[in-house]
């Protein structure tokens, strides 16, 4: 369980961290990892004192190979483009549905030309966002199909770092994401209201 933001209350932290014990099997061991920025340090210390007892200011420091951060950052940046695009399309779909429901309730005809086409019908910048999100989805799928390595190349196959990376890759391979899904967890065909729409009047009865 990864806490990307320090929770505002201890109860919330305990609730989230408790998920590491669910559905993992009787002998499984879960990890709860907190990513703490300088501005969140005070809140983190408060949580640690309540959970661990007075005098404790931090959880155990998690070992991290900083060579993986660049790879992780690349994946996060791609995911951000996808999520941003999906959110915009979802908002468009929600707004359009409000107009459709309102017209139906009032017994009015709704001209679908008045509905928002979303990013697909937007300006050049919106069109570029769609293209970037589409390309990001393909690139992210390829990156998620293989684990991150701390070392990709070595002069000899016997290089210790490369051997360790290959071994780690073999261990995590069964858990690697291979399905083509959107960042919202839905299938590739799911999304907001940016699809092609027939330009006609919608009869509301």
């Amino acid at each position: 369980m990864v806490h990307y933001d320090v929770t505002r209350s201890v109860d919330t932290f305990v609730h989230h961290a408790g998920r590491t014990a669910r559905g993992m099997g009787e002998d499984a061991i879960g990890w709860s990892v907190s990513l703490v920025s300088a501005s969140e340090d005070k809140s983190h210390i408060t949580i640690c004192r309540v959970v661990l007892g007075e005098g404790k200011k931090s959880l155990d420091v998690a070992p991290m190979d900083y060579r993986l951060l660049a790879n992780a950052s690349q994946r996060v940046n791609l995911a951000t483009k996808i999520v941003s695009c999906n959110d915009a399309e979802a908002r468009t779909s929600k707004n359009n549905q409000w107009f459709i429901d309102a017209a139906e309730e009032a017994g009015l005809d709704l001209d679908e030309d008045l509905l928002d086409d979303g990013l697909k019908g937007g300006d050049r910048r919106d069109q570029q966002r769609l293209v970037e999100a589409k390309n990001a989805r393909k690139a992210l799928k390829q990156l998620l199909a293989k684990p991150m390595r701390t070392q990709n190349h070595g002069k000899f196959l016997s290089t210790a770092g490369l051997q360790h990376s290959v071994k780690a890759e073999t261990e995590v391979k069964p858990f690697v994401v291979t399905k083509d899904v959107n960042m919202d967890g839905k299938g590739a065909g799911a999304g907001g209201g940016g699809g092609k729409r027939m330009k006609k009047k919608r009869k509301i009865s």
Side-chain angles (χ1 to χ4, degrees):
M1 178 66 196
V2 179
H3 304 268
Y4 287 97
D5 298 296
V6 175
T7 58
R8 296 184 179 183
S9 70
V10 177
D11 288 343
T12 302
F13 173 83
V14 173
H15 174 70
H16 289 173
R19 293 177 181 175
T20 60
R22 300 175 189 168
M24 300 291 293
E26 184 178 351
D27 299 325
I29 298 176
W31 287 84
S32 178
V33 180
S34 296
L35 305 181
V36 184
S37 66
S39 61
E40 297 172 319
D41 193 49
K42 185 176 180 180
S43 298
H44 177 65
I45 291 175
T46 300
I47 291 174
C48 291
R49 284 175 174 169
V50 174
V51 174
L52 302 177
E54 195 65 31
K56 297 288 186 178
K57 294 185 177 182
S58 177
L59 301 173
D60 294 336
V61 177
M64 179 181 294
D65 193 320
Y66 289 93
R67 290 175 293 181
L68 294 175
L69 290 182
N71 292 332
S73 178
Q74 181 184 16
R75 288 158 171 77
V76 170
N77 289 337
L78 291 172
T80 299
K81 291 182 178 180
I82 299 171
V83 171
S84 176
C85 185
N86 285 353
D87 286 347
E89 292 293 84
R91 286 193 298 269
T92 297
S93 180
K94 183 178 180 180
N95 291 337
N96 285 342
Q97 191 60 48
W98 183 90
F99 282 109
I100 293 173
D101 293 342
E104 181 177 1
E105 184 177 348
L108 301 175
D109 289 340
L110 178 64
D111 189 344
E112 293 201 358
D113 286 340
L114 299 177
L115 296 179
D116 191 348
D117 285 324
L119 297 179
K120 186 174 291 187
D123 56 21
R124 181 178 300 178
R125 185 172 58 179
D126 290 336
Q127 299 281 344
Q128 184 62 29
R129 285 181 63 188
L130 277 177
V131 173
E132 291 180 355
K134 181 179 179 180
N135 293 336
R137 185 172 288 109
K138 293 180 180 178
L140 184 59
K141 179 183 177 183
Q142 294 177 349
L143 290 174
L144 294 180
K146 54 185 178 181
M148 294 185 294
R149 286 184 176 182
T150 57
Q151 182 175 346
N152 290 316
H153 306 286
K155 186 174 181 180
F156 303 104
L157 292 177
S158 59
T159 302
L162 184 58
Q163 283 186 328
H164 176 75
S165 296
V166 173
K167 181 176 181 293
E169 184 171 324
T170 302
E171 292 175 349
V172 303
K173 190 173 182 180
F175 308 100
V176 171
V177 176
T178 57
K179 294 182 179 180
D180 186 11
V181 297
N182 289 335
M183 294 309 298
D184 57 5
K186 299 178 181 178
K196 187 175 292 186
R197 183 183 296 114
M198 297 294 293
K199 297 298 184 180
K200 62 180 182 180
K201 287 189 176 181
R202 186 187 188 98
K203 180 63 177 178
I204 304 298
S205 58

